[in-house]
Amino acid sequence: MADPLASLLAGTYRDPQTGELLAAETRSVVIADSLAGDEVELVTPLVPGRRLALIADRITFAVLGERVAEALAGRFEVERVILDAPHADAATVERITHGLDPRTDAVIAVGSGTINDLSKMVALARACPQLVFATAPSMNGYTSVSASITSDGVKRSVRARTPVGVFFDLRVLAAAPLRLIRAGLGDSACRSTAQADWLLAHLVLDRPYREAPFALLAADEAALFGQAGALVSGDLVALRHLVRTLVLSGVGMTLCGGSFPASQGEHLLGHYLEMRQPAGQPLAFHGEQIGVCTLTMAALQERMLAADRAPVVFATAATREDLVDHWGPGIGEACWLELAGKRLDRDGAEALSARLARDWDRIRARIVPVQVGAAALRAVLATAGAMLAPAELGCTEALFADALVHAREIRNRYTFLDLAADARSGPA
């Protein structure tokens, strides 16, 4: 069987639904036991000039950035941008963008989630290519077209610039803190819940849906879940499957023009926790949050799909005033605009209830096969010692209960959180 990643890079991967040839926007993805000494060879074919901006934080610069900067300095002019505990927000993007040499030809990110997201947005603003040297297998955004950026208090998935080159030195990644490796596993665990949510929206609201992102992941996801325990011992074979899963998930998002195949109800829950975490309380890593929230979504989906009778939905109860009261004026208004796109009035609720009653068996028959199941997902995460419960995230029961009610208000994506809320069946 052909390697899907190699086929995508060559432009020869066939869409399982349409048969059309698909290609990755990223031109080069290199996953190797070591990349030491190969930095110039990797970068040179992908950048149009000689002036590079290397963006890292203090930790990632020490781990890998200094090595990359020194290697590239023999061929390029390298501006080093070393950030102190950065946040992926609009203000930081603007500050970095305005601070760069205006003649910058390409942006090189050395890091993982926050650094990658910031660098994507800076590259977009400067209309130049971006490349990334990963320092941890902690998230699936390396090859995606999206970046998670906080703006006006709301965390959004926004269109960015897909990196032209993404490079993974497995020995560097294996030395990353175990929490970051477990976070990558958590971010990978959500494929099934995201697919179930996206398929639900397709089947009940006729929203677009594609199989390709999930077909890409199938082989590596199975291998990863079977070897999850080996990740914590530094096993490079297991680590390669994790990296490939993260990379292919990111490519799938890019093929779809958004984060739909990898970010649904479980990510809404995670975003809510990040947005509402009390000031001064340390946040868990993104992937740790997603792993825990995936278990919650998987249990919710299983419970609802186990019912022989279709749920009956009612007009959406939440009002604009409710959202402003909960979130505050600025964020509340923004969330109201998102919720309005999927909010049911009485006629809409009656029509959706009728559709669910008519098609419930067909809906279940389509969604159930894509599920992994809450118990199986819990076992995978537990094998690697990953977090399993909200309390381990530093999250109170009250905050998580609020997330189950209000997370769906963040984004206009119809998930099982919406179906549960509109059916008044409760999210837990």
Side-chain angles (χ1 to χ4, degrees), residues 234-298:
D235 184 278
L236 296 189
V237 174
L239 192 61
R240 184 181 293 270
H241 285 300
L242 174 58
V243 169
R244 284 176 55 88
T245 300
L246 297 171
V247 167
L248 288 166
S249 179
V251 172
M253 288 188 271
T254 299
L255 289 173
C256 295
S259 59
F260 311 101
S263 176
Q264 295 283 341
E266 72 295 318
H267 273 71
L268 295 178
L269 292 172
H271 292 337
Y272 185 92
L273 298 181
E274 290 184 35
M275 292 167 65
R276 304 288 288 189
Q277 190 83 349
Q281 186 168 332
L283 288 171
F285 292 125
H286 169 78
E288 292 175 325
Q289 295 171 8
I290 299 308
V292 171
C293 293
T294 291
L295 297 180
T296 297
M297 282 304 301

Side-chain angles (χ1 to χ4, degrees), residues 57-71:
D57 63 30
R58 296 191 182 281
I59 295 174
T60 62
F61 186 76
V63 168
L64 182 59
E66 186 170 15
R67 186 188 98 187
V68 172
E70 291 181 354

Side-chain angles (χ1 to χ4, degrees), residues 336-390:
W336 173 251
L337 292 175
E338 295 292 330
L339 183 63
K342 57 184 177 179
R343 191 170 183 270
L344 298 175
D345 59 16
R346 186 176 65 180
D347 290 343
E350 290 178 355
L352 181 53
S353 290
R355 183 169 186 170
L356 288 166
R358 182 185 68 240
D359 297 338
W360 186 238
D361 288 342
R362 183 176 67 87
I363 291 168
R364 292 199 302 166
R366 287 285 305 277
I367 297 178
V368 169
V370 312
Q371 294 180 291
V372 172
L377 289 170
R378 178 178 291 273
V380 168
L381 294 174
T383 298
M387 294 182 181
L388 303 175

Side-chain angles (χ1 to χ4, degrees), residues 130-327:
Q130 185 226 347
L131 303 85
V132 57
F133 284 84
T135 56
S138 54
M139 54 90 208
N140 62 359
Y142 284 113
T143 52
S144 80
V145 72
S146 302
S148 292
I149 299 293
T150 300
S151 179
D152 297 325
V154 180
K155 187 163 187 176
R156 305 179 188 277
S157 180
V158 298
R159 190 171 182 86
R161 173 157 290 224
T162 305
V164 296
V166 187
F167 311 120
F168 299 90
D169 184 318
L170 292 178
R171 296 197 186 283
V172 171
L173 271 57
L178 287 180
R179 281 187 63 189
L180 291 175
I181 296 173
R182 291 168 175 144
L185 180 63
D187 214 16
S188 297
C190 75
R191 187 278 310 161
S192 63
T193 58
Q195 186 174 4
D197 276 341
W198 199 22
L199 192 50
L200 174 73
H202 173 65
L203 294 172
V204 304
L205 298 179
D206 299 315
R207 295 193 174 182
Y209 169 81
R210 295 183 66 176
E211 291 283 353
F214 310 112
L216 290 172
L217 289 169
D220 282 291
E221 180 186 286
L224 170 63
F225 285 4
Q227 303 174 40
L231 292 171
V232 296
S233 64
D235 184 278
L236 296 189
V237 174
L239 192 61
R240 184 181 293 270
H241 285 300
L242 174 58
V243 169
R244 284 176 55 88
T245 300
L246 297 171
V247 167
L248 288 166
S249 179
V251 172
M253 288 188 271
T254 299
L255 289 173
C256 295
S259 59
F260 311 101
S263 176
Q264 295 283 341
E266 72 295 318
H267 273 71
L268 295 178
L269 292 172
H271 292 337
Y272 185 92
L273 298 181
E274 290 184 35
M275 292 167 65
R276 304 288 288 189
Q277 190 83 349
Q281 186 168 332
L283 288 171
F285 292 125
H286 169 78
E288 292 175 325
Q289 295 171 8
I290 299 308
V292 171
C293 293
T294 291
L295 297 180
T296 297
M297 282 304 301
L300 170 62
Q301 291 169 349
E302 283 183 312
R303 176 173 65 82
M304 297 198 74
L305 291 168
D308 291 331
R309 297 181 63 182
V312 176
V313 299
F314 303 88
T316 303
T319 66
R320 183 177 190 168
E321 291 72 23
D322 291 334
L323 269 63
V324 170
D325 181 63
H326 179 76
W327 294 96

